[in-house]
């Protein structure tokens, strides 16, 4: 909302400093985004009087204008068609700073000889003054403009640009801002109730109004003016509108806009002669009907939209835009002026459904006060009579089926102070509320105040609203600062938070960089990453995605991690290790989706030699497996790895991660096709673990194990067995024997002298007892049994 | 033959004295001890000599070979010692890069969220998380933002293409972390103090200052007798710990449908110290969070009697903080997964 300060001053009768006012407004809830000074750069421009206009000796289109500048006369060459003797104009002397009419850049006016005649200065257009783009003719000032006055003093303006919050429709008006400003400065604004002289027939004899949808139209007021002349508005009116950011159109439309800006009450003027049946009907639209608004566009209506109609049909979309069929045009002579209140939600619905937001709809959807309709109607009628002539019918029509008298809000001083943490005495509270225009009655019996908010404020309805008003007037800075005094509430913190924290730290320790990806992805990316032409889990789609590559919610972390590896590979030739810990979204019937927390990690090998001292080896499956084992060991669980068939991972090079018989994730080499779909042309290894599923498996009674008191005995054995025998089979047999506390595979060998089809596996076994020092004999006896079992069970023989 | 071996010895010893680099030493080794050296020729030729001579020459030649090898070793050590001197006299070149032992790094958002969480946790706030896909009831209605309320226009919403829930509720991506206010109130009776970090979503086109997904942290405290002074004190204490004790704090009125009175907190601009600069839009202040006393209708929606209990709530956008702290000029970088960016934190 742009508020010209000169307009404010019509209602604030005490002097004030604009910067101070802007600060007060900002602190009290309406931020002043900027203060602009129109005319601050007009140096050397003053009000001039055109004494004579003569033709230019050498050019048909140019004229010689003699200007009285207050301090002498000057002869100026002027090309404007509208210049005439007796006009008050804006005269710029040599050296003045103006906007160059051609380049639009600021320029200093230099003496010039135009077609052989010296021009001492210039008569300015609006464009040269930076007021608008109008440059066809010169700007003509009112006759009352005092000759010689610097233009800055005469036409200059300070404009506040306010960011109005949705709860304050009153701040979308000059009187509302003036009232707020007055309250904040301790000197209430003065807004006089306007009146007009109706000298025609009684309005009831000319017009009838029917409100068929009172739920959507609590109040409808109207006046009627006949015999008007449509023309341009006077300069002062146009200037105000332009400074407030609106475009002048004609005197009647300009007045409706002017009064809307002044009171915050939108008005609409209908061409009365175009109405059928001298009747206004306020009703809902017919579903599917098409209506042409005054911008010429066809609008398809729904049955929930409120319309203004005459006896034949629709003439306006209530509160949003008028119709082309009842528009005020240059030869209009009679107008019906509408000033009404509409249901805010209904206007919001209509305006967003039609994609049609107007200055009027913005005020209605915020709930402008229905008490303002009548003062605004009176003011607009009076102004139209003033600027467009004509005769107003006597009286106004005021139908108010939904207008209820203001109910006082009951709130106690104690309640106010206990919510604010203050000790304001009752008198101070009452003073603050009165400044705001409330009427306050103290009820000693109930120790409550009955606060009736002023008519222009529709947003004060609860005790809490009154509390905010007190705080705003007193200033938020006036409220003390205290710490929460009561004891800290009982807490039952989710183990997931600390679990995620530990997990992230472990990942970082294992060399993974954390990344965060969008929650949104697309079918194609999921399908490529999972290598599933048809996704096995259908993701949740957005109704209206911002872009097609973010059309659904991710069901997997893979697309994000794969893309990230590929994009970093463009500049990173060392190893890349990335992880993300985040939510995936799995549809779950009719309810909200499941949102399991997943961790996913991907590793790509170094592409170059990493260090001067040693050869660099590419990653393989066991690099990633080692990291996953370390991660899970850090989290206190011991996983097993089982065969798996994940379509996105390379067959025969992948495993399911199982913890306490629960599959919690997968690990493996990324399938070449999936990798290539993301422009990854190297072997990469990926794992993911559902940590929502893992978390409960890590919670157990962990007990301290005493440190062994007796020495351990180690034995190294090399076993030759068939290639098909798995390490775990050996491990499980050994683990079945007493005294063995650790089995470590430290070498695998194939080739001579080991026969073809066989391999040699070398293990270090550690034997230890918690009760005594083991003798070599005791260890050897167990070892013999182990070897016998390995031989009988797996055909493994000791390599000598 | 005797003479020949002595000559070879003198020659080798003399030329060794002039050697000053390992390259030269290597040439020397090839020349006097290599496969094609004269000494090797002598040794290879032993077989053709008569047995007696063979023993004598063989002994001398082998003797010379041992001597030269010893000299070679001595010289190598001498050269190495010189090389060590030139690098500072230590035994290793301490300026050579060590063997890589990479640590990853946490994402800057993780770091900031953790830091924020710790501060509020130390003030007795419990950290909780909530669903990112929500019902419109929790995201809007229960928070005093009814349908067709203009306040919804500032929170452009991603609606999920799913049938309405059993209450007729519509599914959406939460536009703020505030729905958890209601969910916590429904589950837990006052007194309560919580903070909710998490992802939120807005239907906005992406550019250097806007992204469709970002993080917020929400706070809520409800008890008997909680005041706006408590709100100010708590948030001031947060600002002191997070931004430092030298930054002034400003509280002004603002509007959020789920609080009344509504508050906006700003801290003094860290760049200009309140003088006004480009970063703070000449105001001298940086808006940090929105807050207020919980609206009575919100308490009621959560099943809490507003005549008995009161509380305050606050919410802040998290990306803004590292943006300001590190002078990052493009918010999209957080979600670019670019190691050149992420490794800086």
């Amino acid at each position: 909302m742009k508020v010209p300060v000169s307009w404010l001053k019509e209602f604030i009768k005490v002097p004030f400093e604009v910067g101070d006012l802007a600060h007060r407004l900002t602190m009290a809830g309406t931020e002043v985004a900027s203060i602009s000074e129109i005319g601050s750069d007009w140096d050397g421009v003053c009000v001039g009087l055109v004494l004579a206009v003569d033709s230019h000796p050498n050019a048909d289109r140019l004229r010689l204008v003699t200007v009285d500048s207050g301090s002498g006369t000057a002869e100026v060459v002027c090309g404007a068609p509208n210049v005439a003797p007796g006009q008050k104009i804006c005269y710029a002397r040599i050296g003045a700073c103006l906007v160059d009419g051609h380049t639009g850049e600021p320029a200093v006016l230099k003496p010039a000889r135009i077609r052989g005649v010296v021009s001492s200065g210039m008569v300015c257009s609006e464009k040269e003054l930076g007021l608008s783009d109008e440059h066809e003719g010169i700007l003509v000032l009112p006759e009352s403009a005092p000759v010689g006055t610097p233009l800055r003093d005469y036409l200059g303006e300070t404009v506040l640009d306010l960011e109005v919050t949705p709860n304050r429709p009153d701040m979308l008006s000059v009187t509302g801002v003036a009232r707020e400003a007055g309250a904040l400065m301790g000197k209430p604004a003065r807004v006089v109730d306007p009146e007009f002289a109706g000298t025609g027939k009684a309005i009831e004899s000319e017009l009838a109004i029917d409100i068929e949808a009172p739920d959507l139209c609590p109040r409808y007021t109207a006046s009627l003016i006949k015999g008007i002349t449509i023309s341009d508005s006077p300069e002062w009116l146009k200037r105000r509108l332009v400074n407030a950011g609106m475009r002048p159109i004609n005197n009647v439309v300009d007045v409706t806009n002017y009064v809307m800006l002044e009171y915050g009450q939108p008005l609409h003027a209908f061409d009365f002669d175009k109405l059928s049946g001298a009747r206004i009907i306020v009703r809902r639209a017919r579903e599917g009907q098409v209506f042409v608004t005054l911008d010429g566009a066809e609008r398809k209506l729904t049955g929930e939209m409120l319309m203004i109609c005459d006896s034949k049909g629709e003439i306006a979309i209530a509160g949003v835009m008028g119709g082309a069929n009842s528009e005020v045009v240059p030869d209009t002579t009679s107008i019906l002026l509408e000033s009404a209140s509409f249901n805010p939600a209904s206007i919001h619905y209509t305006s967003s459904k039609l994609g049609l937001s107007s200055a009027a709809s913005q005020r209605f959807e915020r709930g402008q006060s229905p008490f303002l309709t009548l003062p605004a109607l009176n003011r607009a009628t009076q102004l139209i009579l003033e600027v467009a002539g004509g005769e107003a019918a006597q009286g106004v029509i005021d139908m108010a089926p939904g207008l209820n008298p203001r109910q006082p809000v009951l709130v106690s001083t104690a309640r106010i102070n206990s919510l604010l943490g203050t000790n304001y005495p009752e008198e101070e509270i009452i003073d603050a509320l009165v400044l705001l225009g409330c009427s306050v009655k103290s009820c000693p019996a109930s120790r409550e105040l009955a606060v009736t908010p002023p008519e222009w404020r529709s947003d004060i309805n609860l005790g809490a609203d009154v509390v905010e008003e007190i705080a705003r007037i007193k200033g938020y800075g006036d409220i003390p600062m205290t710490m929460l005094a009561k004891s800290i509430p009982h807490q039952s913190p989710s183990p997931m938070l600390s679990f995620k924290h530990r997990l992230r730290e472990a990942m970082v320790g294992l060399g993974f960089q954390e990344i965060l990806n969008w929650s949104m992805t697309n079918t194609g990316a999921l399908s490529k990453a999972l290598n599933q032409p048809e996704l096995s889990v259908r993701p949740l789609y957005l109704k209206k995605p911002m872009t097609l590559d973010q059309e659904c919610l991710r069901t997997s972390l893979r697309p994000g991690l794969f893309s990230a590896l590929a994009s970093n590979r463009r500049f990173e030739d060392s190893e890349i290790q990335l992880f993300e810990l985040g939510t995936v979204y799995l549809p779950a019937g009719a309810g909200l989706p499941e949102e399991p927390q997943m961790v996913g990690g991907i590793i790509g090998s170094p592409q170059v030699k990493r260090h001067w001292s040693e050869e660099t080896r590419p990653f393989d499956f066991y690099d990633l497996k080692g990291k996953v084992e370390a991660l899970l060991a850090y989290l206190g669980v011991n996983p097993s790895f089982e065969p798996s068939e994940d379509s996105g991972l390379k067959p025969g090079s992948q495993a399911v991660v199982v913890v306490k018989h629960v599959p919690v994730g997968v690990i493996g080499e990324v399938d070449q096709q999936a990798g290539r779909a993301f422009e990854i042309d190297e072997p990469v290894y990926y794992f993911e673990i559902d940590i929502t599923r893992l978390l409960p498996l890590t919670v157990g009674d962990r007990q301290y194990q005493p440190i062994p008191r007796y020495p351990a005995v180690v034995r190294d054995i090399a076993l030759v067995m068939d290639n098909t025998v798995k390490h775990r089979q050996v491990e499980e047999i050994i683990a079945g024997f007493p005294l063995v506390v650790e089995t470590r595979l430290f070498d695998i060998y194939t080739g001579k002298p080991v026969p073809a089809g066989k391999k040699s596996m070398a293990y270090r076994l550690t034997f230890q007892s918690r009760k005594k020092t083991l003798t070599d004999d005791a260890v050897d006896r167990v070892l013999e049994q182990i070897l016998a079992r390995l031989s009988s069970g797996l055909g493994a023989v000791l390599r000598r | 033959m005797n003479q020949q071996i002595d000559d070879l010895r003198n020659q080798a010893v003399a030329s060794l004295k002039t050697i000053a680099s390992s390259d030269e030493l290597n040439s020397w080794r090839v020349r006097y001890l290599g496969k094609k050296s004269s000494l090797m020729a002598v040794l290879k030729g032993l077989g053709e000599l008569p047995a007696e001579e063979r023993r004598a020459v063989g002994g001398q030649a082998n003797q010379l070979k041992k001597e030269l090898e010893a000299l070679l070793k001595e010289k190598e050590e001498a050269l190495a010692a010189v090389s060590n001197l030139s690098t500072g006299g230590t035994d290793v070149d301490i300026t050579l890069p060590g063997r890589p032992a990479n640590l990853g790094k946490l994402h800057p958002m993780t770091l900031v969220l953790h830091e924020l969480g710790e501060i509020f946790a130390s003030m007795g706030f419990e950290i909780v998380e909530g669903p990112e896909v929500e019902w419109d009831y929790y995201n809007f209605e229960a928070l005093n933002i009814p349908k067709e309320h203009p306040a919804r226009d500032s929170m452009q919403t991603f609606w999920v293409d799913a049938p309405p829930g059993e209450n007729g509720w519509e599914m959406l991506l939460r536009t703020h972390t505030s729905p958890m206010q209601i969910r916590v109130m429904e589950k837990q009776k006052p007194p309560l103090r919580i903070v909710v970090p998490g992802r939120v979503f807005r239907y906005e086109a992406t550019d250097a200052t806007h992204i469709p997904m970002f993080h917020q942290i929400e706070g809520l405290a409800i008890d008997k007798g909680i005041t706006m002074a408590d709100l100010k004190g708590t948030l001031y204490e947060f600002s002191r710990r997070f931004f430092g004790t030298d930054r002034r704090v400003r509280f002004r009125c603002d509007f959020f449908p789920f609080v009344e009175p509504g508050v906006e907190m700003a801290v003094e601009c860290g760049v200009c110290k309140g003088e006004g600069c480009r970063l703070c839009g000449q105001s001298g202040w940086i808006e940090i969070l929105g807050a207020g006393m919980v609206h009575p209708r919100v308490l009621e929606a959560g099943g809490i009697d507003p005549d008995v209990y009161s509380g305050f709530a606050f919410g802040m956008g998290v990306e803004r903080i590292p943006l300001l702290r590190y002078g990052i000029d493009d918010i999209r970088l957080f979600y670019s997964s670019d190691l050149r960016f992420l490794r800086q934190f």
Side-chain angles (χ1 to χ4, degrees):
Chain A
M1 169 80 185
K2 286 186 171 167
V3 181
V5 170
S6 72
W7 203 345
L8 270 187
K9 284 183 174 169
E10 289 185 11
F11 307 103
I12 304 174
K13 298 300 186 187
V14 294
F16 60 87
E17 205 264 305
V18 172
D20 172 64
L21 174 62
H23 176 69
R24 286 171 192 263
L25 287 170
T26 298
M27 295 304 286
T30 304
E31 189 174 351
V32 178
S34 68
I35 304 173
S36 46
E37 301 278 352
I38 295 169
S40 62
D41 50 355
W42 294 337
D43 280 326
V45 187
C46 68
V47 178
L49 172 66
V50 178
L51 295 174
V53 178
D54 298 304
S55 52
H56 190 290
N58 306 323
D60 290 346
R61 288 192 159 172
L62 296 178
R63 293 188 181 79
L64 301 183
V65 182
T66 312
V67 177
D68 174 2
S69 67
S71 54
T73 58
E75 197 175 52
V76 177
V77 178
C78 178
N82 64 333
V83 64
Q87 281 174 341
K88 298 284 179 64
I89 47 81
C90 308
Y91 167 68
R93 59 173 165 73
I94 300 297
C97 191
L98 296 168
V99 175
D100 186 297
H102 296 291
T103 64
E105 298 292 316
V108 173
L109 189 60
K110 295 181 187 135
R113 179 181 287 271
I114 301 167
R115 291 284 183 105
V117 179
V118 173
S119 181
S120 2
M122 186 187 236
V123 179
C124 304
S125 69
E126 294 198 10
K127 179 161 187 179
E128 284 141 2
L129 293 168
L131 286 173
S132 75
D133 285 339
E134 181 59 53
H135 60 93
E136 280 301 302
I138 56 160
L139 172 60
V140 180
L141 301 174
E143 276 174 39
S144 58
V147 174
T149 308
L151 192 67
R152 184 187 301 145
D153 297 346
Y154 183 70
L155 262 195
E157 181 66 278
T158 305
V159 180
L160 302 179
D161 194 355
L162 307 184
E163 287 186 1
V164 178
T165 53
N167 59 326
R168 292 295 300 271
D170 60 309
M171 294 297 276
L172 291 173
S173 74
V174 177
T175 55
V177 174
R179 282 164 156 148
E180 171 89 349
L184 296 175
M185 295 190 295
K187 303 192 174 82
R190 279 222 311 252
V191 182
V192 181
D193 269 351
E195 289 173 353
F196 71 91
T199 52
K201 288 197 246 171
I203 191 166
E204 290 83 0
S205 66
E206 304 252 17
L207 175 68
I209 289 175
D210 259 336
I211 303 180
E212 289 181 5
D215 54 329
L216 301 186
C217 177
R219 191 177 193 187
Y220 196 101
T221 68
S223 68
L224 184 62
I225 312 166
K226 291 185 172 178
I228 57 156
T229 310
I230 301 290
S231 68
D232 273 2
S233 292
E235 193 54 38
W236 67 266
L237 207 171
K238 287 203 273 188
R239 185 68 32 223
R240 279 273 165 86
L241 290 179
V242 167
N243 287 344
M246 292 196 91
R247 199 165 51 89
I249 293 169
N250 63 45
N251 49 6
V252 167
V253 173
D254 290 355
V255 165
T256 59
N257 283 333
Y258 186 89
V259 174
M260 176 181 71
L261 292 174
E262 198 166 66
Y263 281 84
Q265 167 66 48
L267 297 120
H268 188 69
F270 296 99
D271 186 330
F272 184 61
D273 296 328
K274 290 182 189 161
L275 304 190
S276 300
R279 197 174 184 77
I280 291 285
I281 302 157
V282 185
R283 60 160 170 79
R284 286 178 167 82
R286 294 189 179 91
E287 184 73 36
Q289 190 167 354
V290 173
F291 178 69
V292 181
T293 42
L294 51 75
D295 55 2
E298 290 193 347
R299 312 282 177 176
K300 198 169 179 204
L301 308 175
T302 75
E304 277 310 301
M305 292 177 181
L306 187 66
M307 302 300 291
I308 310 298
C309 311
D310 62 11
S311 59
K312 274 196 185 150
E314 290 78 5
I315 53 173
I317 304 175
V320 178
M321 195 178 265
N325 57 6
S326 59
E327 191 185 357
V328 171
V329 292
D331 60 358
T332 297
T333 57
S334 299
I335 55 163
L336 184 157
L337 205 53
E338 166 201 284
S339 175
S341 271
F342 301 114
N343 177 295
S346 161
I347 299 296
H348 186 269
Y349 163 81
T350 304
S351 126
S352 47
K353 191 96 185 166
L354 296 176
L356 191 59
S357 178
S358 61
S361 70
Q362 282 162 22
R363 285 166 173 83
F364 282 125
E365 67 193 20
R366 285 170 156 79
Q368 93 343 318
S369 164
F371 292 98
L372 292 174
T373 50
L374 201 50
L377 182 70
N378 289 336
R379 171 71 165 139
T381 310
Q382 173 221 339
L383 262 182
I384 286 174
L385 292 172
E386 187 184 316
V387 304
E391 184 182 53
Q394 266 184 53
V396 296
I397 292 190
D398 183 358
M399 308 275 290
L403 184 70
N404 300 315
R406 269 292 157 86
Q407 292 300 312
V409 178
L410 297 177
V411 60
S412 70
T413 302
R415 175 81 177 146
I416 292 169
N417 279 320
S418 77
L419 273 172
L420 292 177
T422 51
N423 284 305
Y424 295 133
E426 186 169 288
E427 307 82 70
E428 280 186 33
I429 287 173
I430 293 175
D431 286 352
L433 292 169
V434 167
L435 263 181
L436 283 161
C438 302
S439 70
V440 186
K441 264 195 217 154
S442 184
C443 321
S446 64
R447 295 188 167 181
E448 278 180 324
L449 300 175
V451 181
T452 309
E455 290 190 338
W456 60 88
R457 290 289 298 273
S458 50
D459 62 315
I460 304 175
N461 303 302
L462 300 172
D465 300 330
V466 174
V467 171
E468 180 175 272
E469 293 305 308
I470 310 284
R472 291 192 322 112
I473 294 297
K474 289 296 197 181
Y476 278 19
D478 197 49
I479 292 166
M481 296 204 262
T482 53
M483 289 304 285
L484 291 165
K486 297 259 178 71
S487 58
I488 292 174
H490 169 75
Q491 303 203 341
S492 48
S494 153
M496 181 52 96
L497 283 162
S498 56
F499 188 64
K500 288 198 290 189
H501 186 61
R502 277 170 64 75
L503 199 147
R504 283 194 166 101
E505 292 197 324
M507 288 303 287
V508 164
L510 290 165
F512 288 86
Q513 166 69 48
E514 185 181 21
I515 61 171
L516 296 180
N517 283 300
W518 304 113
S519 296
M520 293 83 84
T521 183
N522 60 78
T523 321
L526 285 168
S527 167
K528 285 189 288 184
L530 299 166
N531 213 7
Q532 294 175 350
E534 286 293 317
L535 289 175
S536 60
V537 178
R538 187 181 185 275
L540 277 177
Y541 286 87
L542 300 174
K543 273 187 180 158
K544 208 173 91 181
M546 199 77 222
T547 56
L548 279 178
D549 61 348
Q550 298 195 337
E551 63 180 350
C552 63
L553 293 172
R554 64 184 182 189
T555 54
S556 164
L557 300 178
R558 290 186 206 190
L561 280 158
F562 289 8
S563 299
L565 186 125
S567 65
N568 281 298
R569 181 53 88 203
R570 284 178 207 128
F571 57 84
E572 180 59 76
D573 58 12
S574 192
E575 71 265 42
I576 299 177
Q577 303 193 62
L578 306 171
F579 85 99
E580 177 171 12
L581 197 170
T583 308
V584 300
Y585 310 84
L586 307 177
L592 293 176
E594 283 174 23
E595 296 186 13
Q597 305 275 301
M598 303 287 292
V599 61
I602 190 166
I603 61 173
S605 305
Q607 310 287 298
V608 291
K609 192 166 180 256
R610 275 172 102 234
H611 195 249
W612 50 274
S613 69
E614 59 195 14
E615 286 309 311
T616 299
R617 176 181 62 76
F619 288 142
D620 62 19
F621 178 86
Y622 300 104
D623 285 292
L624 187 63
K625 188 182 177 196
K627 289 170 192 289
V628 171
E629 284 170 328
L631 173 71
L632 291 170
Y634 182 78
L635 298 174
V637 293
N638 184 21
S640 68
F641 294 82
E642 309 292 344
S644 68
E645 286 176 12
D646 184 300
S647 56
L649 301 176
K650 187 173 162 185
S653 191
Q654 53 168 295
V656 187
V657 184
V658 178
V659 173
K660 296 182 184 164
H661 311 294
V662 180
V664 294
V666 291
I667 167 176
E669 181 176 346
V670 172
D671 180 86
Q672 207 177 41
Q673 192 179 332
R676 283 206 180 128
F678 288 83
E679 293 175 18
I680 297 172
D681 51 12
E682 61 180 274
V684 292
Y685 301 87
Y686 175 81
F687 82 91
E688 67 191 16
I689 290 174
D690 181 337
I691 59 177
T692 301
R693 208 180 275 188
L694 174 63
L695 173 63
L697 307 173
T698 64
V699 186
D701 291 330
R702 228 176 285 173
Q703 283 265 316
Y704 151 77
Q705 295 295 319
I707 294 162
R709 291 167 60 191
Y710 302 100
V713 178
V714 298
R715 288 285 187 273
D716 290 349
I717 53 171
L719 300 163
V720 176
M721 62 193 98
D722 285 349
N723 267 335
T724 51
V725 178
K726 298 262 187 267
H727 160 68
R728 192 188 345 187
Q729 294 173 279
V730 178
E731 212 179 18
E732 278 171 358
I733 286 177
I734 298 173
F737 286 87
L739 300 180
V740 184
V741 292
E742 195 191 338
T743 308
R744 193 163 81 227
L745 173 70
F746 65 88
D747 195 26
I748 301 178
Y749 178 75
T750 52
K752 283 181 183 170
V754 177
K758 299 214 176 246
K759 60 184 172 184
S760 161
M761 309 269 277
Y763 289 90
R764 165 160 292 197
L765 310 187
T766 305
F767 299 83
Q768 199 165 28
S769 164
R770 293 209 163 268
K771 292 180 190 137
K772 61 182 180 199
T773 300
L774 292 176
T775 61
D776 280 350
D777 278 355
V779 169
D780 288 339
R781 270 199 304 279
V782 178
L783 189 57
E784 283 304 318
Q785 293 167 19
I786 290 174
L787 290 171
R789 248 332 281 292
L790 287 170
S791 170
S792 64
L794 301 174
V797 293
L798 196 61
R799 185 175 162 207
R800 303 277 175 190
Chain B
M1 190 54 83
N2 225 340
Q3 187 57 40
Q4 198 186 340
I5 287 174
D6 279 348
D7 287 351
L8 206 53
R9 174 182 289 117
N10 294 339
Q11 218 179 327
V13 171
S15 81
L16 189 66
K17 280 182 184 155
T18 66
I19 282 171
S21 76
S22 52
D23 283 351
E24 290 172 87
L25 185 62
N26 196 40
S27 315
W28 182 90
R29 183 188 56 77
V30 173
R31 182 162 173 201
Y32 295 103
L33 286 167
K35 283 178 188 161
K36 293 176 180 169
S37 63
S38 324
L39 182 58
M40 287 304 151
V42 171
L43 286 168
K44 276 183 198 154
L46 285 178
E48 292 157 21
L49 293 178
E52 201 170 315
E53 207 173 332
R54 189 190 305 164
R55 191 171 301 128
V57 174
Q60 285 172 347
N62 274 317
Q63 171 69 21
L64 176 58
K65 189 176 173 230
K66 275 183 191 151
E67 278 177 46
L68 292 183
E69 279 169 352
L71 284 171
L72 174 67
K73 200 178 172 211
E74 204 174 292
K75 189 71 181 179
E76 272 173 352
E77 281 165 8
L79 284 177
V82 169
S83 154
N84 283 339
L85 277 177
S86 68
T87 55
T90 52
D91 289 336
V92 294
D93 178 354
I94 57 168
T95 65
L96 285 175
R99 292 201 177 85
N102 288 349
L103 278 180
K105 284 187 167 189
L106 292 174
H107 193 281
M109 293 311 302
T110 301
L111 294 171
V112 175
L113 284 166
H114 186 66
E115 194 180 344
L116 292 169
E118 292 278 287
I119 291 177
F120 287 110
S122 76
M123 293 197 263
F125 287 80
E126 180 180 336
I127 303 170
V128 297
E129 294 180 313
E132 294 168 21
V133 181
E134 258 295 4
W135 298 115
D136 61 349
Y137 170 77
Y138 287 102
N139 197 74
F140 291 128
E141 276 86 350
L143 291 167
N144 195 30
I145 316 174
K147 283 206 168 67
E148 305 298 349
H149 191 289
R152 281 199 185 192
D153 299 347
S154 64
M155 287 197 273
Q156 294 289 316
T157 308
F158 281 110
W159 295 92
V160 175
D161 190 7
E166 32 184 303
N167 304 306
W169 295 346
E170 301 281 342
M171 205 185 283
L172 48 72
L173 305 189
R174 65 176 177 190
T175 59
H176 48 183
T177 39
S178 311
M180 271 306 276
Q181 289 191 22
I182 305 293
R183 287 187 177 275
V184 168
M185 283 188 238
E186 282 178 346
K187 264 178 42 190
Q188 203 178 325
K189 291 301 129 195
L192 52 92
R193 282 185 215 174
I194 54 151
V195 284
V196 189
R199 289 183 174 200
V200 301
F201 305 84
R202 300 273 170 94
Y203 188 78
E204 276 184 358
T206 306
D207 62 29
T209 53
H210 296 89
I211 39 178
M213 179 198 93
F214 54 97
H215 288 79
Q216 275 190 347
I217 187 163
E218 181 90 6
L220 177 71
I222 297 176
D223 202 346
K224 288 176 183 161
I226 285 188
T227 69
M228 193 155 148
D230 294 333
L231 177 160
K232 283 183 66 181
T234 303
L235 293 179
Y236 177 62
E237 180 60 20
F238 155 69
S239 173
R240 281 162 51 92
R241 293 201 207 170
F242 192 81
F243 295 104
T245 50
D246 57 333
R247 304 272 289 276
R248 288 183 299 150
V249 171
R250 180 184 87 173
F251 294 91
R252 58 174 283 268
C253 178
D254 202 348
F255 171 74
F256 309 99
F258 35 99
V259 288
E260 187 81 14
V263 178
E264 176 214 89
M265 184 177 88
V267 296
E268 191 174 75
C269 176
V271 172
C272 63
K273 305 288 174 217
E275 293 293 314
C277 66
R278 214 169 58 87
L279 182 71
C280 58
Q282 305 305 330
S283 72
W285 297 98
I286 304 277
E287 292 162 17
I288 290 298
L289 54 80
M293 302 303 289
V294 181
H295 198 287
R297 283 203 274 267
V298 173
L299 289 172
E300 280 167 7
I304 291 175
D305 184 350
D307 290 333
V308 179
Y309 291 99
S310 59
F312 65 78
F314 57 87
M316 64 195 285
V318 184
E319 274 77 356
R320 236 175 115 63
I321 290 171
L323 279 182
L324 292 167
R325 191 182 267 184
Y326 303 114
I328 298 164
D329 55 6
D330 190 336
I331 195 170
R332 288 170 293 196
L333 284 169
F334 289 119
Y335 303 99
S336 66
S337 301
D338 192 323
L339 287 168
R340 294 168 297 185
F341 173 75
L342 295 171
R343 281 175 180 155
Q344 297 182 35
F345 301 97

